[in-house]
Amino acid sequence: EFGHCNVPRRYQGNPSLGAWCNTMRTAYKKIQSGMETSYNISQDRVEILEGIGFRWTALGVNEVFENRCQELVAFKDKFGHCNVP
């Protein structure tokens, strides 16, 4: 339906999926840092998730900034200015 695997932690359409994705991201981050985690993800599972396009980090500030800049460029191309109402 959405064409991506960027499920936010507080996904209203399926809260348990959002929570699970957050758990996966948190566990992966801890494993990468050499920390213990209560939810151990095997390399096989990491590869499965990566194979379907799962993002280990939520949409970051830089990505949000870049996306907004692209939207602003499109607005300027259409209207000839950056005075977004």
Side-chain angles (χ1 to χ4, degrees), residues 43-56:
Q43 186 59 36
D44 289 343
R45 289 184 174 186
V46 168
E47 290 172 9
I48 289 168
L49 289 170
E50 288 176 347
I52 61 171
F54 185 79
R55 293 180 54 108
W56 294 110

Side-chain angles (χ1 to χ4, degrees), residues 17-80:
L17 177 61
W20 181 81
C21 288
N22 186 60
T23 299
M24 296 299 103
R25 290 182 182 114
T26 301
Y28 181 78
K29 195 178 303 180
K30 286 182 178 181
I31 291 167
Q32 294 300 308
S33 299
M35 299 170 62
E36 298 252 341
T37 178
S38 59
Y39 198 99
N40 195 3
I41 306 171
S42 68
Q43 186 59 36
D44 289 343
R45 289 184 174 186
V46 168
E47 290 172 9
I48 289 168
L49 289 170
E50 288 176 347
I52 61 171
F54 185 79
R55 293 180 54 108
W56 294 110
T57 55
L59 196 61
V61 174
N62 290 335
E63 291 170 303
V64 170
F65 179 81
E66 290 173 16
N67 290 344
R68 292 295 184 200
C69 284
Q70 290 173 3
E71 291 173 358
L72 185 57
V73 167
F75 181 93
K76 184 178 180 183
D77 288 345
K78 183 174 182 178
F79 297 102

Side-chain angles (χ1 to χ4, degrees), residues 1-8 11 17 25 52-55 59:
E1 176 180 345
F2 299 102
H4 63 77
C5 294
N6 305 332
V7 181
Y11 175 47
L17 177 61
R25 290 182 182 114
I52 61 171
F54 185 79
R55 293 180 54 108
L59 196 61

